[in-house]
Amino acid sequence: MTTALRRLRNYIDGEFRDAADGRTTEVVNPATGEAYATAPLSAAADVDAAMAAAEAAFPAWRDLIPAERQKVLLKIADRFEERAEELIAAESENCGKPIALVRSEEIPPMVDQIRFFAGAARMLEGRASGEYMEGFTSIIRREPVGVCAQVAPWNYPMMMAVWKFAPALAAGNTVVIKPSDTTPASTVLIADIIGSVLDELGHSRGVFNVICGDRETGRLMVEHKVPAMASITGSVRAGMQVAESAAKDLKRVHLELGGKAPVVVFEDTDIPKAVEDISVAGYFNAGQDCTAATRVLVQESIHDEFVAALAKAASETKTGAVDDEDVLYGPLNNANQLRQVKGFIERLPAHAKIEAGGEQVGDKGYFFAPTVVSGLKQDDEIIQHEVFGPVITVQSFSDEKQAVEWANGVEYALASSVWTKDHARAMRMSKTLDFGCVWINTHIPLVAEMPHGGFKKSGYGKDLSAYGFDDYTRIKHVMTSLDG
């Protein structure tokens, strides 16, 4: 007997719709490897309809006073809490994530982030008005940019949707967002939540639209004439393609791309505490996090002790079923990602040593064992390129100068961490590490008030914080003659 697949649909101008041409793709639960739903494979007609809805809704949403937009966002946050179990179930099925961890680690920060941007809506800042030319007063207006085309990734589809729509809506923009083709379920549910709130409070539901589809759908969104801004969280390749497409009509671009976070551990660190925290930060979400602590550099005097402790921690880390409260992470997101992680392990150079893991787990779904690889050199493939899996590499460095050189010696520059009891050293490292975030004696915590974003091939623009809010605004100078 074949189980009927659930039908997911686009959300355009307050209505759930199939793709105009009826095409669909199957959506697979990565914990089982089996399809559980179909989603629209949206094409040009669907993108046109979503953009038209967002464009029509923009003037009224833009002209709302900030307190009214705040009211909408606060209601959305409340509704996220009220419907939390639905969101948890959708995201767990989307990604194979452990239910308990989605409940504890994703719902609370998402709600907090929406409420933060609800407050930011009322904190539009600019330089003080004043007279900079005799007889004239200048003022600054900060305005929304317009319709925003947003593409979210598959590693945190629900939370990344929040990172995109919350600042955009708070600033007065309207949104068309596309989830990854492998993880559309939670974003479609978010559309139902936001649409119901907009309806209840008497606003156009065209303010927020969701279209499902693949890379071609995303390309059509970015190249469409309506959006004033394109925002993507994804791979470096995808970011480059978006930037190139957006350049044709000079759209604003917001890019949060890959990462290869160095974790620099000095000999004076508390080894048991560092190992405990680093293993969690490296394996959480199956290492599918651009900031994951997966590239460890350890001072040579403690290298062997640290590797042994890290391998032991890996052997004690569990991956498994969504309802098992003892697991730290679930499967890799899709079959392609499993092949990518396996490929890195299969291509390891002869001088590398697998200290723990290194293999697929089970015969169902896309689970991969927590892995530690030592003996690596700076120019090895697995050091230079993002694995995006539960694989922690370890290199041995001699001194601070070499640690900085190797830490910075990759094309990514999103996040990093330093582990030491020496305050002066920590301050020097925070200055010289070329990354958008430097954690000291911790790795991976994020708060709504602080920015998240990188340099180099990790992209540009900030998520979260007032800086992330500013990215969704434009600045206008208004000058008035005092002569009347």
Side-chain angles (χ1 to χ4, degrees), residues 234-236 256-262 287 289-292 294-295 383-388 410-415 435 454-455 457-459:
S235 68
V236 172
E256 200 278 275
L257 308 177
K260 194 69 180 173
D289 190 314
C290 298
T291 63
T294 55
R295 182 167 65 105
I383 295 297
Q384 291 296 319
H385 297 280
E386 189 173 33
V387 179
F388 224 56
V410 294
E411 293 185 326
Y412 303 93
L414 183 58
F435 296 83
F455 315 133
K457 287 191 176 179
S458 289

Side-chain angles (χ1 to χ4, degrees), residues 409-460:
V410 294
E411 293 185 326
Y412 303 93
L414 183 58
S416 59
S417 64
V418 180
W419 300 75
T420 181
K421 295 176 182 177
D422 185 330
H423 177 74
R425 174 191 283 151
M427 292 298 96
R428 290 193 303 271
M429 292 293 290
S430 68
K431 176 183 176 181
T432 54
L433 285 173
D434 189 19
F435 296 83
C437 174
V438 180
W439 286 292
I440 298 173
N441 295 325
T442 188
H443 194 109
I444 227 164
L446 295 169
V447 292
E449 294 85 352
M450 290 293 113
H452 174 83
F455 315 133
K456 294 162 59 173
K457 287 191 176 179
S458 289
Y460 44 82

Side-chain angles (χ1 to χ4, degrees), residues 3-6 25-29 32-38 93 366:
T3 303
L5 301 181
R6 187 161 78 253
T25 58
E26 287 192 344
V27 185
V28 173
N29 183 333
T32 64
E34 299 175 354
Y36 70 90
T38 62
E93 195 166 35
Y366 311 130

Side-chain angles (χ1 to χ4, degrees), residues 27-266:
V27 185
V28 173
N29 183 333
T32 64
E34 299 175 354
Y36 70 90
T38 62
L41 183 55
S42 299
D46 309 296
V47 174
D48 286 344
M51 294 301 174
E55 185 177 36
F58 175 64
W61 185 253
R62 173 198 62 201
D63 293 342
L64 282 177
I65 62 170
E68 291 301 312
R69 291 199 296 271
Q70 181 190 49
K71 189 182 298 182
V72 173
L73 284 161
L74 289 174
K75 177 71 78 171
I76 290 169
D78 291 345
R79 197 61 51 82
F80 266 55
E81 287 185 322
E82 293 164 11
R83 299 181 65 176
E85 292 306 313
E86 293 176 68
L87 289 165
I88 292 164
E91 193 72 337
S92 181
E93 195 166 35
N94 244 354
C95 307
K97 294 184 180 184
I99 291 170
L101 288 174
V102 178
R103 181 178 292 114
S104 65
E105 304 300 322
E106 296 201 29
I107 296 294
M110 284 165 45
V111 170
D112 179 66
Q113 289 152 8
I114 296 170
R115 288 178 176 148
F116 170 82
F117 284 113
R122 300 178 70 168
M123 290 294 290
L124 290 166
E125 295 182 350
R127 293 182 184 273
S129 62
E131 289 68 51
Y132 303 95
M133 180 182 289
E134 190 72 29
F136 296 87
T137 293
S138 288
I139 64 173
I140 295 294
R141 288 182 57 88
R142 190 176 286 275
E143 303 175 338
V145 297
V147 175
C148 297
Q150 301 181 319
V151 179
W154 48 251
N155 58 332
Y156 293 100
M158 187 165 62
M159 187 176 290
M160 295 300 100
V162 168
W163 286 22
K164 293 188 180 301
F165 80 70
L169 296 185
N173 304 286
T174 55
V175 165
V176 178
I177 188 168
K178 187 191 85 67
S180 168
D181 55 340
T182 67
T183 56
S186 57
T187 312
V188 172
L189 179 56
I190 287 171
D192 183 56
I193 292 172
I194 294 178
S196 67
V197 170
L198 291 168
D199 199 37
E200 287 173 22
L201 297 181
H203 301 295
S204 169
R205 288 179 288 179
V207 166
F208 182 83
N209 306 271
V210 172
I211 53 174
C212 303
D214 58 9
R215 289 177 182 171
E216 175 64 11
T217 312
R219 184 188 67 79
L220 291 169
M221 288 174 58
V222 173
E223 293 184 355
H224 200 277
K225 61 179 174 46
V226 165
M229 179 175 178
S231 171
I232 178 174
T233 300
S235 68
V236 172
R237 180 185 67 175
M240 289 178 171
Q241 291 171 344
V242 166
E244 183 178 1
S245 295
K248 295 174 183 176
D249 57 0
L250 297 178
K251 284 184 180 70
R252 285 193 180 202
V253 178
H254 181 283
L255 303 175
E256 200 278 275
L257 308 177
K260 194 69 180 173
V263 181
V264 184
V265 182
F266 287 95

